[in-house]
Amino acid sequence: MARTVLCACEDVTLEEVRRAFAEGHRDLESVKRYTGFGTGPCQGKSCLAAVAGELLRLGATPAEIAPFTARPPLQPTPLALLATADPGALPLDPGVPPPAAGPRPRPQGGPLPERARVVIVGGGIMGLGLAYQLCRRGERDVLVLEAGYLNAGASGRNGGGVRAQWSTPTMIRLARRSLALCRSFAADMGVNVWFRPGGYLFLAPTAEQVARLERNAALHRAHGLATRVIDPEEAARIVPELDRRRFLAASWNPDDGVVFPWPFLWGYASRAAALGARIRTFTRVTGFEREGRRLTAVRTDAGRVTCEVVVNAAGAWSKEVAALAGVPLPNRPTRHEILVTEPLKPWLGPLVSVLGNGLYFSQSQRGELVGGMGDPDEPEGVVSGSTLRFLSRFARAALECVPRLAGVKVVRQWAGCYDVTPDNNPVLGAAGFDNFLQLSGFVGHGFMMAPAVTEAMAAWMTGGEEDEIFRRFTLARFERGETAREDFIIG
Amino acid sequence: MPRLPEPRFVPDCAILVDGVEVPARAGESVAVALVAAGRPLVSRSYKYHRPRGPFCLAGSCGSCLARVDGQPSLRTCRVACRDGLRVETQNAFPSARHDLLAVVDRATPHGLDHHHLLTSPVALNRVVVEVSRRLAGLGRLPDRAPGPFPAATLETFDALVVGAGPAGLGAAEALAAAGRRVLVAEQAPRAGGRLRAGLPLRGEPPLAWAAEVEGAVGRAGGELALATAALGLWRDGGSPIAALAAEAPPRLRLVRASVLVLATGGTAVPPVFPGNDVPGIFAGRALAVARAEHGLLPGARCLVLGEGEEAAAVAARLAGGGLEVVARPGPALLARGRARVRAVELAGERLRCDAVAWVTPPAPAAELARELGARLELLPALSAFAVAVDAEGRTGVPGLFAAGEVTGPLDGAAAAAAGRRAGEAALRG
Ligand SMILES: Cc1cc2nc3c(=O)[nH]c(=O)nc-3n(C[C@H](O)[C@H](O)[C@H](O)COP(=O)(O)OP(=O)(O)OC[C@H]3O[C@@H](n4cnc5c(N)ncnc54)[C@H](O)[C@@H]3O)c2cc1C
Ligand code: FES
């Protein structure tokens, strides 16, 4: 078969690039995500020019084909080599800010309408999931405004972990609903999300953490989960490569799993659009107009839209967006770094997470190890630069856990932001204005919460059932001091 | 005949490829040994299980991956041969040459739309997820740990020059002449960059100049580090820090320097036409280098595709010694062949050949500059982005200079001059 292969690492052909363009993925970042080009071991070195050339021929502008952010390391590098750097000698730094804004890609999706009943700020999984769920319930005059491409925010940068192992009944309930929606997402939405229930394995290195896992497991069982606390021998039957000297016990739920995040956004976006929602990418919200206790219009860099309801679903930027309306949120956006390795044949079933040091990793559908690790010293700030410190911290922690990974090579690192709140629970409901609804503060687990939370929010917004979360997780709880901390956070 | 008939190119050892002995020369790359042995097919591709073989011979294209010594997906063009080295082809069943899974390629003439493949019903989709997971992935987990590696060193130099092609050498020479301690990091096992191809191009400095620069750098307390690849530039601690992977002995070097000169040149870009990924299509410069250094003849009849002075020089350099060379400006319409190229079709013509040398200006290797936020500019003819610099190689990022082909196509003489200017500008601060 004489194919024209533009990306030899990932086997992406000219025909596939053209199809992606025809389906509306018109800038290089979007085409990269949709086709997978440039994400293989060569890092886009040999295919970038070929794909950019084709997009130019198809009508893209130079701003739309600007190279994607360079993702170190430049060559596949064994974890064992990265582990030789001492993280203590690598002080934390925000990394390199993105280059000063050059020409921006054109707004996509059509001209900005003059009015829309519901304007959703942010086209991440929250914003798009909500748009779809509103449309399904008959509220179709919905406009989603996204500053970048779809998947530009945390929704396009996360680990894809979906679990029901939480420490409060509310979170367990929401997560179970999300897991059910993940299982049928491909069938319901017509796009593969590669949901793979390989389980979640939490490793507890100390007796205190074992006790915590046991408390949680009891709660889980009371809520119908299959969670069990198992000994290192049994954990090693699930992942034989684990170094069992490193933990005392593990908590295991075989029904948790991992997904491939990006297609969720494409699925929600295309189904919402088919039902009438309008989605405008490369359109940034720059301010609001108000009258008394209501927001009356949304200003953007592409024009102004009058509206009846505004939803702030801007993820880690929610605080910034709320500030545009003069509403202070207590959210603290915090960088979280992550990496992937070369693709390997299947060897790892579950997502493994180590309590205490924030390490987690799983194997993606494509075979890569996807892993991250929080840094306790990370300051607040919306930054997405990468650090060498993270590479060495991750490598050291991962090799302690699975020594067999020593020769596995890292091919790409990047960062996104957690949207952290004082009690690790979200901020929902109206804030500051009667028609300014919040949908933020999902820390490091918003992806798995989104299917369930957006469904509940659409029901609540369209006069259906009011889930307790819209009473409990209001902004006002922080003033009233009615907070209950969720502590089962990874990273 | 796989190699030039000269005593220095006679194989002196054998590597084991899927258990079969392949003659090689100790120290040359596995990819070169495989091509010399007439088997440019190294592995199968990720999705369609198409035959894959080396293209760039310089570590950038990623199409020469194999399992070596129990480590998965190594770039065989960067692994040195030694007697008995075990090489295994990957992602193929039963072998890279006869891979039953290549049925995926034949069954999907218009590509595999994995996003919309069998999404419903739920039960079927679960099967698809399981099956495709087994087909995905390239290598298997490593058999054992590589290394051991010593603890990474943290080093300080007056200047770090990345790349020892004409631009990097020019910059290093200027800096060393003023007594600066310079570290020149070059990922290839030899200095010279494109000068290694031995193409007699107008005004290009001779390759021997590299040795002179190495001497000058050493006398000023610096070092020319070969087989040392820059993995990236970060800002941990507020100022740029480079991580370099040295191959022999393998170790990580962390380097801070107040002056950084990026002279990373360009990346060979594969051609775009149907059949462009058939093994046996190589970057022209890479073939010229491999002939000069290893006596490699890529086949019996090689088509040199490309326009301009460099294409003519490559054709002249490759011809002879048992290799028949035909040169055409292109455009090529189709390459035929499976395990290796058999013929190339051009407008009104079908040329039989078992190797192709593709000559085109390389795309600027601008990744390191991008990591530090330097401004780039589009080169419309190449649809690639080059590092934007002023006449003295300043990028606008304090302390960061760039020179040579990383700033756009220019010839070897001009690259050397640009490197020198950047080095001199760096001295002035
Ligand atoms: C590295 C990492 C790993 C993670 N791992 C997991 C995991 O395994 N499982 C899990 O469930 N969650 C995980 N998370 C968390 C999860 O990704 C997020 O909680 C979730 O994606 C949040 O979705 P969102 O739609 O609220 O935000 P986002 O996806 O960030 O979307 C917000 C959007 O708003 C846009 N925007 C911002 N300002 C404006 C403006 N002024 N105008 C218009 N648009 C604007 C942004 O461009 C962005 O696209 C992880 C997060 C990170 C960073
Ligand atoms: S990476 Fe080895 S041939 Fe290109």
Side-chain angles (χ1 to χ4, degrees), chain A residues 1-16 19 23 33-36 41-54 56-57 61-63 65-86 89-100 183-197 241 260 263 266 342-349 363-368 386-391 403-409 413, chain B residues 45-50 52 55 59-63 65 67 71-75 78 91 104-122 125-126 128-146 149-152 154 187 229-239 241-247 250-252 254 256 267-277 334-335 338 363 367-368 370-376 378 380 382-385:
Chain A
M1 178 92 33
R3 297 183 198 273
T4 305
V5 175
L6 295 192
C7 163
C9 296
E10 296 293 311
D11 254 354
V12 178
T13 65
L14 182 66
E15 205 172 329
E16 286 163 344
R19 196 154 56 217
E23 287 177 20
R33 282 163 181 76
Y34 195 72
T35 63
C42 103
Q43 286 280 43
K45 292 191 202 79
S46 356
C47 50
L48 196 59
V51 175
E54 182 55 25
L56 279 178
R57 271 188 292 280
T61 64
I65 60 151
F68 39 74
T69 318
R71 304 284 188 213
L74 280 183
Q75 316 205 359
T77 308
L79 282 163
L81 191 63
L82 295 169
T84 65
D86 173 11
L90 297 166
L92 200 63
D93 194 82
V96 180
R183 273 192 287 274
S184 64
F185 195 95
D188 295 342
M189 309 293 283
V191 63
N192 276 313
V193 291
W194 310 108
F195 172 67
R196 186 171 61 77
E241 292 79 9
F260 183 36
W266 303 323
E342 59 182 305
L344 295 166
K345 294 292 177 197
W347 66 276
L348 175 66
Q363 195 179 16
S364 74
Q365 180 70 12
R366 304 200 304 178
E368 307 135 322
S386 290
T387 66
L388 185 56
R389 172 186 166 93
F390 164 67
L391 290 182
R404 191 94 194 261
L405 291 174
V408 173
K409 297 180 282 304
Q413 72 171 139
Chain B
S45 70
Y46 182 76
K47 192 161 85 185
Y48 297 119
H49 284 256
R50 293 170 68 77
R52 279 277 176 280
F55 165 74
S60 64
C61 74
S63 47
L65 308 183
R67 188 178 188 87
Q71 302 297 325
S73 300
L74 293 193
R75 291 164 297 166
R78 300 296 303 275
N91 205 35
V104 180
D105 195 27
R106 284 186 289 275
T108 58
H110 297 292
L112 190 68
D113 181 358
H114 57 283
H115 296 312
H116 301 113
L117 182 76
L118 304 173
T119 51
S120 71
V122 174
N125 191 251
R126 277 196 79 153
V128 171
V129 171
E130 270 315 309
V131 172
S132 83
R133 173 164 204 242
R134 283 187 165 57
L135 292 178
L138 275 178
R140 287 173 288 108
L141 267 185
D143 296 343
R144 51 167 192 85
F149 307 116
L154 195 54
Q187 60 174 353
L231 299 176
L233 289 169
W234 295 261
R235 299 203 74 113
D236 297 51
S239 67
I241 182 163
L244 309 174
E247 275 165 33
R251 64 184 173 121
L252 190 68
L254 306 180
R256 287 196 202 270
T267 305
V269 194
V272 177
F273 51 75
N276 61 345
D277 64 334
L334 175 71
R338 271 200 84 76
E367 292 82 8
L368 290 170
R370 272 158 55 198
E371 286 174 3
L372 285 190
R375 199 172 63 77
L376 306 179
L378 175 68
L382 299 183
S383 63
F385 285 80

Side-chain angles (χ1 to χ4, degrees), chain A residues 121-127 145-149 152-155 157-161 200 283-285 313-317 321 336-338 360 416-418 439 442-449:
Chain A
V121 186
I125 188 166
M126 288 291 171
L145 299 174
E146 166 53 52
Y149 49 90
S155 301
R157 295 164 182 266
N158 66 81
Y200 252 63
T283 306
R284 178 183 296 280
V285 170
W317 295 267
V321 168
H336 185 83
E337 297 191 66
I338 186 166
Y360 64 90
C417 279
Y418 277 16
L439 180 55
F442 288 95
V443 195
H445 50 270
F447 205 87
M448 66 179 94
M449 286 293 135

Side-chain angles (χ1 to χ4, degrees), chain B residues 8-21:
Chain B
R8 62 190 175 122
F9 297 136
V10 174
D12 56 11
C13 68
I15 57 174
L16 286 173
V17 182
D18 287 338
V20 177
E21 282 200 359

Side-chain angles (χ1 to χ4, degrees), chain B residues 375 377 386-396 400-404 406-408:
Chain B
R375 199 172 63 77
E377 63 198 2
V387 183
V389 286
D390 69 9
E392 299 192 306
R394 291 176 209 277
T395 63
L400 183 69
F401 297 77
V406 72
T407 67

Side-chain angles (χ1 to χ4, degrees), chain B:
Chain B
M1 186 179 9
R3 297 180 196 256
L4 289 172
E6 290 176 32
R8 62 190 175 122
F9 297 136
V10 174
D12 56 11
C13 68
I15 57 174
L16 286 173
V17 182
D18 287 338
V20 177
E21 282 200 359
V22 168
R25 286 171 54 246
E28 74 183 3
S29 75
V30 168
V32 162
L34 288 171
V35 175
R39 41 177 305 170
L41 166 60
V42 174
S43 267
R44 288 285 171 156
S45 70
Y46 182 76
K47 192 161 85 185
Y48 297 119
H49 284 256
R50 293 170 68 77
R52 279 277 176 280
F55 165 74
C56 72
L57 292 172
S60 64
C61 74
S63 47
C64 64
L65 308 183
R67 188 178 188 87
V68 183
D69 226 3
Q71 302 297 325
S73 300
L74 293 193
R75 291 164 297 166
T76 52
C77 66
R78 300 296 303 275
V79 179
C81 290
R82 60 178 155 72
D83 201 37
L85 186 70
R86 271 186 313 123
V87 178
E88 295 161 78
T89 56
Q90 296 188 146
N91 205 35
F93 177 80
S95 76
R97 213 168 289 193
H98 307 284
D99 178 13
L100 293 177
L101 296 169
V103 60
V104 180
D105 195 27
R106 284 186 289 275
T108 58
H110 297 292
L112 190 68
D113 181 358
H114 57 283
H115 296 312
H116 301 113
L117 182 76
L118 304 173
T119 51
S120 71
V122 174
L124 175 63
N125 191 251
R126 277 196 79 153
V127 175
V128 171
V129 171
E130 270 315 309
V131 172
S132 83
R133 173 164 204 242
R134 283 187 165 57
L135 292 178
L138 275 178
R140 287 173 288 108
L141 267 185
D143 296 343
R144 51 167 192 85
F149 307 116
T153 51
L154 195 54
E155 302 164 75
T156 313
F157 285 85
D158 293 331
L160 170 65
V161 176
V162 186
L169 292 170
E173 188 170 49
L175 288 159
R180 298 294 193 273
R181 265 186 82 233
V182 186
L183 175 64
V184 187
E186 167 56 57
Q187 60 174 353
R190 285 193 176 73
R194 72 173 103 168
L195 305 180
R196 294 163 62 204
L199 304 176
L201 290 171
R202 236 179 311 127
E204 238 178 32
L207 183 55
W209 174 51
E212 278 170 37
V213 176
E214 179 169 15
V217 165
R219 282 191 298 279
E223 178 191 349
L224 176 64
L226 297 174
T228 300
L231 299 176
L233 289 169
W234 295 261
R235 299 203 74 113
D236 297 51
S239 67
I241 182 163
L244 309 174
E247 275 165 33
R251 64 184 173 121
L252 190 68
R253 302 176 69 172
L254 306 180
V255 176
R256 287 196 202 270
S258 46
V259 168
L260 296 171
V261 182
L262 303 181
T264 41
T267 305
V269 194
V272 177
F273 51 75
N276 61 345
D277 64 334
V278 181
I281 301 181
F282 302 94
R285 271 188 205 176
L287 282 187
V289 171
R291 175 171 173 125
E293 295 175 359
H294 310 293
L296 178 73
L297 304 174
R301 188 172 147 89
C302 179
L303 166 64
V304 176
L305 258 180
E307 294 173 62
E309 198 190 356
E310 187 167 348
V314 167
R317 189 76 181 86
L318 292 182
L323 183 69
E324 187 191 341
V325 168
V326 267
R328 293 288 184 275
L333 306 176
L334 175 71
R336 289 190 186 279
R338 271 200 84 76
R340 80 183 289 170
V341 64
R342 269 189 293 115
V344 172
E345 291 181 15
L346 301 112
E349 184 178 25
R350 178 161 197 242
L351 280 171
R352 250 190 337 92
C353 59
D354 56 4
V356 174
W358 166 244
V359 186
T360 184
E367 292 82 8
L368 290 170
R370 272 158 55 198
E371 286 174 3
L372 285 190
R375 199 172 63 77
L376 306 179
E377 63 198 2
L378 175 68
L379 307 171
L382 299 183
S383 63
F385 285 80
V387 183
V389 286
D390 69 9
E392 299 192 306
R394 291 176 209 277
T395 63
V397 175
L400 183 69
F401 297 77
E405 270 182 322
V406 72
T407 67
L410 73 183
D411 63 39
R420 223 170 263 127
R421 282 197 304 278
E424 281 158 9
L427 287 171
R428 288 192 299 274

